[in-house]
Amino acid sequence: MDEQIFKVDFEVRDYECDLQGIVNNAVYQNYYEHTRHKFLKSVNLDFNKLHQQGIDAVVYRVEIDFKYSLTSGDSFTCYLKLRKSGNLKYIFDQHIIRHSDEKLCSKATVTTVCVQNGRPVICKEVDDAFREYMSN
């Protein structure tokens, strides 16, 4: 989990838990997406502006491994690092660490691409914004 470039702290809310008293699996995607969006804002990437130019950044693939369950009231941090695959794919490696015991609760690999008219494209604005943060 080295070379993390961004993090966001969270606390589990009661309504995010299922009947078993653990965070529902789908909620983890919200945690991961919120962290990515906060990162994008931190690098001044304006996806609304890109959309107006006909370019949309979209999720291509999500893989999540669940290790330990989060429960109501747990505080945790969602970490992120970034790499590029080929010319078109940006890969966000993310993970969640619970504060109380420092356990890895979940990890995810989220692959994104920029599309224009439904086809993947190289996006100079995104490349420029991400350049200094990408690992190999």
Side-chain angles (χ1 to χ4, degrees), residues 1-127:
M1 320 273 176
D2 55 347
E3 301 179 27
Q4 301 308 312
I5 61 170
F6 194 78
K7 66 180 182 175
V8 176
D9 291 324
F10 291 86
E11 185 174 308
V12 175
R13 297 162 289 207
D14 293 340
Y15 64 83
E16 296 171 326
C17 298
D18 58 23
L19 289 173
Q20 297 168 316
I22 60 175
V23 171
N24 183 280
N25 67 84
V27 174
Y28 287 81
Q29 283 205 57
N30 291 328
Y31 299 149
Y32 288 127
E33 184 166 358
H34 183 73
T35 302
R36 289 193 309 277
H37 280 246
K38 296 288 266 188
F39 170 70
L40 298 175
K41 284 185 176 186
S42 79
V43 298
N44 297 314
L45 213 53
D46 186 343
F47 279 96
N48 185 46
K49 181 179 172 187
L50 287 174
H51 175 72
Q52 291 173 2
Q53 298 169 2
I55 298 170
D56 291 303
V58 297
V59 171
Y60 176 78
R61 174 180 292 128
V62 176
E63 298 175 58
I64 300 176
D65 294 329
F66 300 96
K67 304 293 188 179
Y68 291 94
S69 297
L70 291 167
T71 59
S72 183
D74 280 345
S75 60
F76 62 93
T77 301
C78 185
Y79 295 89
L80 169 153
K81 69 180 179 179
L82 176 63
R83 59 190 162 96
K84 193 166 183 184
S85 176
N87 289 324
L88 302 173
K89 295 177 184 172
Y90 302 96
I91 301 173
F92 292 87
D93 294 305
Q94 296 181 258
H95 66 277
I96 290 173
I97 301 289
R98 184 171 41 217
H99 293 167
S100 64
D101 56 8
E102 296 297 313
K103 285 200 184 273
L104 171 67
C105 292
S106 174
K107 64 181 183 174
T109 302
V110 181
T111 304
T112 64
V113 296
C114 292
V115 296
Q116 189 170 31
N117 299 321
R119 299 182 58 87
V121 296
I122 296 172
C123 182
K124 181 179 178 346
E125 293 90 339
V126 175
D127 275 345

